[in-house]
Amino acid sequence: MLSFETVSQARCFNGTQFVYRHASQETGTPMRVAVYVPPQAKTAKVPVVWFLSGLTCTEENFTVKAGAQRAASELGLMLIAPDTSPRGEGVPDDAQGAYDFGLGAGFYVDAVQEPWAKNYRMRSYIERELPELIAQNLPADMSRQGITGHSMGGHGALTIALRNPERFKAVSAFAPIASPLNCPWGEKALSNYIGPDRSAWRDYDACALIEGGARLPDLLVDQGTADSFLESQLKPGLLEGACAKAGQPLTLRMQDGYDHSYFFIATFIEDHLRWHAQRLGV
């Protein structure tokens, strides 16, 4: 049985904030994941909320900047924040070191194009490998899982949940890339990772998945009106339209004056965790 190596741990709101490292069979690299274990886990398995981070991020951004541990401790939620991409010597990167492709920009896909196909398997890592490791090694109630994320991670949270509706009882997102088929970030990533056939991209587009019949009980999305990526990359109106046409319940909250930063996430993370807790039976 594969297991975690503890990189660090710190007491936090009567629980423990861990960072673990493990060898990934999917990515062929060492991977790091941050896990907050609340105090309730001392006596019983606890529900899980996954947080998928955005472009340029690692497992550290959410853990250090969002301030989520206080509410997670109160509610008894385990928070799992994986890295966004494979790391390590020999992992291919964008030739120009661009922030929106390559390392730090795994887009939660399973790449099929070379040289990306060997390592860039974040879909299978998040959907299969890491959940199995969590179940084997931690006091997690895997029958009660929620997922959320930010930007590229919001795209990941929505698409992973829409492809696996039986796994997630609660789904939300912060400023997600609503339709990678229709924005420069998505077109760059998917054309390189998946190839030129745009029909193959639909598995990685929340709007396309909803149009194709995928459904969830409900969705919560927060989006800042002062987000510099709002019109060019994120396009929440496309998600709103797809949900309205399909009858998919969606609560889209346009938050006046908020940008794309972790100040925005820190402001509304407690709302999201309480929304998840209610649906996870806490």
Side-chain angles (χ1 to χ4, degrees), residues 42-79:
K42 295 175 183 176
T43 56
K45 291 185 176 182
V46 294
V48 169
V49 176
W50 297 76
F51 187 94
L52 305 185
S53 292
L55 289 166
T56 76
C57 292
T58 69
E59 80 290 337
E60 185 178 46
N61 296 74
F62 173 74
T63 305
V64 173
K65 295 180 178 180
Q69 292 92 343
R70 182 188 61 78
S73 173
E74 175 195 334
L75 297 167
L77 299 174
M78 181 180 293
L79 303 179

Short mmCIF file of all heavy atoms in Angstrom, two decimals, residues 42-79:
data_model
loop_
_atom_site.label_atom_id
_atom_site.label_comp_id
_atom_site.label_asym_id
_atom_site.label_seq_id
_atom_site.Cartn_x
_atom_site.Cartn_y
_atom_site.Cartn_z
N LYS A 42 -10.28 12.91 15.48
CA LYS A 42 -9.72 12.09 16.54
C LYS A 42 -10.64 10.95 16.94
O LYS A 42 -10.20 9.92 17.45
CB LYS A 42 -9.42 12.95 17.77
CG LYS A 42 -8.33 13.99 17.55
CD LYS A 42 -8.19 14.88 18.79
CE LYS A 42 -7.16 15.99 18.56
NZ LYS A 42 -7.09 16.92 19.73
N THR A 43 -11.94 11.13 16.73
CA THR A 43 -12.91 10.14 17.19
C THR A 43 -13.75 9.52 16.08
O THR A 43 -14.43 8.51 16.33
CB THR A 43 -13.87 10.78 18.21
OG1 THR A 43 -14.51 11.93 17.61
CG2 THR A 43 -13.11 11.24 19.45
N ALA A 44 -13.73 10.08 14.88
CA ALA A 44 -14.54 9.53 13.79
C ALA A 44 -14.00 10.03 12.45
O ALA A 44 -13.29 11.05 12.39
CB ALA A 44 -16.00 9.96 13.95
N LYS A 45 -14.34 9.32 11.40
CA LYS A 45 -14.01 9.81 10.07
C LYS A 45 -14.82 11.06 9.77
O LYS A 45 -15.98 11.19 10.20
CB LYS A 45 -14.28 8.73 9.02
CG LYS A 45 -13.33 7.54 9.10
CD LYS A 45 -13.56 6.57 7.96
CE LYS A 45 -12.53 5.45 8.00
NZ LYS A 45 -12.70 4.49 6.86
N VAL A 46 -14.22 11.98 9.02
CA VAL A 46 -14.86 13.27 8.77
C VAL A 46 -15.04 13.49 7.27
O VAL A 46 -14.30 12.94 6.45
CB VAL A 46 -14.01 14.42 9.36
CG1 VAL A 46 -13.98 14.34 10.87
CG2 VAL A 46 -12.59 14.42 8.79
N PRO A 47 -16.05 14.29 6.89
CA PRO A 47 -16.24 14.59 5.47
C PRO A 47 -15.09 15.40 4.90
O PRO A 47 -14.35 16.06 5.63
CB PRO A 47 -17.56 15.37 5.44
CG PRO A 47 -17.76 15.86 6.82
CD PRO A 47 -17.08 14.89 7.74
N VAL A 48 -15.00 15.37 3.59
CA VAL A 48 -13.86 15.92 2.86
C VAL A 48 -14.31 17.02 1.92
O VAL A 48 -15.32 16.88 1.22
CB VAL A 48 -13.18 14.80 2.05
CG1 VAL A 48 -12.15 15.38 1.08
CG2 VAL A 48 -12.55 13.77 2.97
N VAL A 49 -13.57 18.12 1.87
CA VAL A 49 -13.73 19.13 0.83
C VAL A 49 -12.40 19.31 0.12
O VAL A 49 -11.39 19.62 0.75
CB VAL A 49 -14.22 20.48 1.39
CG1 VAL A 49 -14.29 21.53 0.27
CG2 VAL A 49 -15.58 20.34 2.06
N TRP A 50 -12.41 19.09 -1.17
CA TRP A 50 -11.23 19.28 -2.02
C TRP A 50 -11.18 20.72 -2.50
O TRP A 50 -12.21 21.29 -2.87
CB TRP A 50 -11.30 18.36 -3.24
CG TRP A 50 -11.28 16.90 -2.94
CD1 TRP A 50 -12.31 16.14 -2.45
CD2 TRP A 50 -10.18 16.00 -3.12
NE1 TRP A 50 -11.92 14.84 -2.31
CE2 TRP A 50 -10.62 14.72 -2.70
CE3 TRP A 50 -8.88 16.17 -3.59
CZ2 TRP A 50 -9.79 13.61 -2.75
CZ3 TRP A 50 -8.06 15.06 -3.63
CH2 TRP A 50 -8.51 13.79 -3.22
N PHE A 51 -9.97 21.29 -2.53
CA PHE A 51 -9.76 22.61 -3.14
C PHE A 51 -8.70 22.50 -4.21
O PHE A 51 -7.55 22.13 -3.92
CB PHE A 51 -9.34 23.66 -2.11
CG PHE A 51 -9.29 25.05 -2.70
CD1 PHE A 51 -10.38 25.89 -2.61
CD2 PHE A 51 -8.15 25.51 -3.36
CE1 PHE A 51 -10.35 27.17 -3.18
CE2 PHE A 51 -8.11 26.77 -3.94
CZ PHE A 51 -9.22 27.61 -3.84
N LEU A 52 -9.07 22.82 -5.45
CA LEU A 52 -8.14 22.78 -6.58
C LEU A 52 -7.71 24.20 -6.91
O LEU A 52 -8.54 25.08 -7.16
CB LEU A 52 -8.80 22.13 -7.80
CG LEU A 52 -9.39 20.73 -7.58
CD1 LEU A 52 -9.91 20.16 -8.91
CD2 LEU A 52 -8.38 19.79 -6.96
N SER A 53 -6.41 24.42 -6.92
CA SER A 53 -5.87 25.76 -7.11
C SER A 53 -5.69 26.11 -8.59
O SER A 53 -5.83 25.26 -9.47
CB SER A 53 -4.54 25.90 -6.38
OG SER A 53 -4.73 25.86 -4.99
N GLY A 54 -5.35 27.37 -8.83
CA GLY A 54 -5.29 27.90 -10.17
C GLY A 54 -3.88 27.99 -10.74
O GLY A 54 -2.91 27.46 -10.18
N LEU A 55 -3.78 28.67 -11.88
CA LEU A 55 -2.52 28.82 -12.60
C LEU A 55 -1.42 29.36 -11.69
O LEU A 55 -1.65 30.27 -10.89
CB LEU A 55 -2.71 29.77 -13.77
CG LEU A 55 -3.54 29.25 -14.94
CD1 LEU A 55 -3.94 30.40 -15.88
CD2 LEU A 55 -2.77 28.19 -15.72
N THR A 56 -0.25 28.80 -11.82
CA THR A 56 0.99 29.15 -11.11
C THR A 56 1.01 28.65 -9.67
O THR A 56 2.03 28.76 -9.00
CB THR A 56 1.30 30.66 -11.09
OG1 THR A 56 0.46 31.32 -10.15
CG2 THR A 56 1.13 31.28 -12.47
N CYS A 57 -0.08 28.09 -9.17
CA CYS A 57 -0.17 27.75 -7.75
C CYS A 57 0.38 26.35 -7.46
O CYS A 57 0.53 25.52 -8.34
CB CYS A 57 -1.61 27.83 -7.28
SG CYS A 57 -2.29 29.51 -7.27
N THR A 58 0.66 26.13 -6.18
CA THR A 58 0.99 24.81 -5.65
C THR A 58 -0.02 24.49 -4.55
O THR A 58 -1.00 25.22 -4.37
CB THR A 58 2.41 24.80 -5.07
OG1 THR A 58 2.43 25.59 -3.87
CG2 THR A 58 3.43 25.33 -6.06
N GLU A 59 0.24 23.44 -3.79
CA GLU A 59 -0.63 23.11 -2.65
C GLU A 59 -0.57 24.17 -1.56
O GLU A 59 -1.46 24.23 -0.69
CB GLU A 59 -0.23 21.74 -2.08
CG GLU A 59 0.96 21.72 -1.16
CD GLU A 59 2.30 21.98 -1.83
OE1 GLU A 59 2.41 21.75 -3.06
OE2 GLU A 59 3.25 22.39 -1.13
N GLU A 60 0.42 25.05 -1.61
CA GLU A 60 0.63 26.00 -0.53
C GLU A 60 -0.30 27.20 -0.57
O GLU A 60 -0.68 27.74 0.48
CB GLU A 60 2.08 26.48 -0.55
CG GLU A 60 2.45 27.39 0.60
CD GLU A 60 3.90 27.80 0.58
OE1 GLU A 60 4.40 28.19 -0.50
OE2 GLU A 60 4.54 27.73 1.64
N ASN A 61 -0.69 27.65 -1.76
CA ASN A 61 -1.41 28.92 -1.87
C ASN A 61 -2.69 28.94 -1.05
O ASN A 61 -2.91 29.83 -0.23
CB ASN A 61 -1.72 29.21 -3.34
CG ASN A 61 -0.48 29.41 -4.17
OD1 ASN A 61 0.22 28.45 -4.47
ND2 ASN A 61 -0.19 30.65 -4.53
N PHE A 62 -3.54 27.95 -1.27
CA PHE A 62 -4.80 27.89 -0.53
C PHE A 62 -4.54 27.70 0.96
O PHE A 62 -5.16 28.35 1.80
CB PHE A 62 -5.66 26.75 -1.07
CG PHE A 62 -6.90 26.49 -0.27
CD1 PHE A 62 -7.97 27.36 -0.36
CD2 PHE A 62 -6.99 25.39 0.56
CE1 PHE A 62 -9.13 27.13 0.39
CE2 PHE A 62 -8.14 25.15 1.30
CZ PHE A 62 -9.21 26.02 1.22
N THR A 63 -3.61 26.82 1.28
CA THR A 63 -3.35 26.48 2.68
C THR A 63 -2.91 27.69 3.49
O THR A 63 -3.32 27.87 4.64
CB THR A 63 -2.26 25.39 2.74
OG1 THR A 63 -2.69 24.28 1.95
CG2 THR A 63 -2.01 24.93 4.15
N VAL A 64 -2.08 28.54 2.90
CA VAL A 64 -1.50 29.68 3.62
C VAL A 64 -2.35 30.94 3.49
O VAL A 64 -2.44 31.74 4.44
CB VAL A 64 -0.06 29.95 3.10
CG1 VAL A 64 0.51 31.21 3.70
CG2 VAL A 64 0.83 28.75 3.42
N LYS A 65 -3.02 31.14 2.37
CA LYS A 65 -3.65 32.43 2.09
C LYS A 65 -5.16 32.49 2.31
O LYS A 65 -5.71 33.58 2.50
CB LYS A 65 -3.37 32.84 0.64
CG LYS A 65 -1.91 33.11 0.33
CD LYS A 65 -1.73 33.52 -1.13
CE LYS A 65 -0.30 33.84 -1.46
NZ LYS A 65 -0.14 34.23 -2.89
N ALA A 66 -5.85 31.36 2.24
CA ALA A 66 -7.32 31.40 2.24
C ALA A 66 -7.92 31.54 3.63
O ALA A 66 -9.06 31.98 3.78
CB ALA A 66 -7.89 30.16 1.56
N GLY A 67 -7.19 31.13 4.67
CA GLY A 67 -7.73 31.21 6.03
C GLY A 67 -8.92 30.30 6.26
O GLY A 67 -9.85 30.63 7.01
N ALA A 68 -8.88 29.12 5.64
CA ALA A 68 -10.02 28.21 5.68
C ALA A 68 -10.05 27.32 6.91
O ALA A 68 -11.08 26.72 7.22
CB ALA A 68 -10.01 27.34 4.43
N GLN A 69 -8.94 27.20 7.63
CA GLN A 69 -8.85 26.20 8.69
C GLN A 69 -9.78 26.49 9.87
O GLN A 69 -10.30 25.54 10.48
CB GLN A 69 -7.40 26.08 9.19
CG GLN A 69 -6.44 25.49 8.18
CD GLN A 69 -5.75 26.54 7.31
OE1 GLN A 69 -6.21 27.68 7.23
NE2 GLN A 69 -4.64 26.17 6.69
N ARG A 70 -10.00 27.74 10.18
CA ARG A 70 -10.87 28.04 11.33
C ARG A 70 -12.27 27.48 11.12
O ARG A 70 -12.82 26.79 11.99
CB ARG A 70 -10.94 29.55 11.58
CG ARG A 70 -11.79 29.93 12.81
CD ARG A 70 -12.00 31.43 12.93
NE ARG A 70 -12.69 31.96 11.77
CZ ARG A 70 -14.00 31.86 11.57
NH1 ARG A 70 -14.77 31.21 12.45
NH2 ARG A 70 -14.56 32.36 10.50
N ALA A 71 -12.86 27.78 9.97
CA ALA A 71 -14.21 27.28 9.69
C ALA A 71 -14.21 25.76 9.54
O ALA A 71 -15.15 25.09 9.98
CB ALA A 71 -14.76 27.93 8.43
N ALA A 72 -13.15 25.21 8.92
CA ALA A 72 -13.08 23.76 8.76
C ALA A 72 -13.00 23.07 10.11
O ALA A 72 -13.59 22.00 10.31
CB ALA A 72 -11.87 23.38 7.90
N SER A 73 -12.29 23.67 11.06
CA SER A 73 -12.21 23.11 12.41
C SER A 73 -13.58 23.12 13.08
O SER A 73 -14.01 22.13 13.67
CB SER A 73 -11.21 23.92 13.25
OG SER A 73 -11.23 23.51 14.59
N GLU A 74 -14.28 24.22 12.99
CA GLU A 74 -15.62 24.31 13.58
C GLU A 74 -16.58 23.29 12.98
O GLU A 74 -17.34 22.63 13.69
CB GLU A 74 -16.17 25.73 13.38
CG GLU A 74 -17.60 25.88 13.87
CD GLU A 74 -18.26 27.16 13.34
OE1 GLU A 74 -17.55 28.12 13.03
OE2 GLU A 74 -19.51 27.16 13.25
N LEU A 75 -16.52 23.15 11.65
CA LEU A 75 -17.48 22.32 10.94
C LEU A 75 -17.07 20.85 10.88
O LEU A 75 -17.87 19.99 10.51
CB LEU A 75 -17.66 22.85 9.51
CG LEU A 75 -18.25 24.26 9.41
CD1 LEU A 75 -18.08 24.81 8.00
CD2 LEU A 75 -19.72 24.27 9.82
N GLY A 76 -15.82 20.55 11.21
CA GLY A 76 -15.35 19.18 11.14
C GLY A 76 -15.11 18.70 9.73
O GLY A 76 -15.42 17.55 9.39
N LEU A 77 -14.53 19.56 8.89
CA LEU A 77 -14.25 19.21 7.50
C LEU A 77 -12.75 19.00 7.29
O LEU A 77 -11.94 19.80 7.73
CB LEU A 77 -14.71 20.34 6.57
CG LEU A 77 -16.19 20.68 6.58
CD1 LEU A 77 -16.45 21.91 5.71
CD2 LEU A 77 -17.03 19.50 6.10
N MET A 78 -12.40 17.93 6.59
CA MET A 78 -11.03 17.74 6.15
C MET A 78 -10.85 18.49 4.83
O MET A 78 -11.64 18.33 3.91
CB MET A 78 -10.73 16.24 5.94
CG MET A 78 -9.31 15.95 5.50
SD MET A 78 -9.01 14.17 5.26
CE MET A 78 -9.14 13.58 6.94
N LEU A 79 -9.81 19.32 4.75
CA LEU A 79 -9.51 20.08 3.54
C LEU A 79 -8.32 19.46 2.83
O LEU A 79 -7.27 19.28 3.44
CB LEU A 79 -9.19 21.54 3.88
CG LEU A 79 -10.26 22.32 4.65
CD1 LEU A 79 -9.76 23.73 4.93
CD2 LEU A 79 -11.57 22.36 3.88
#
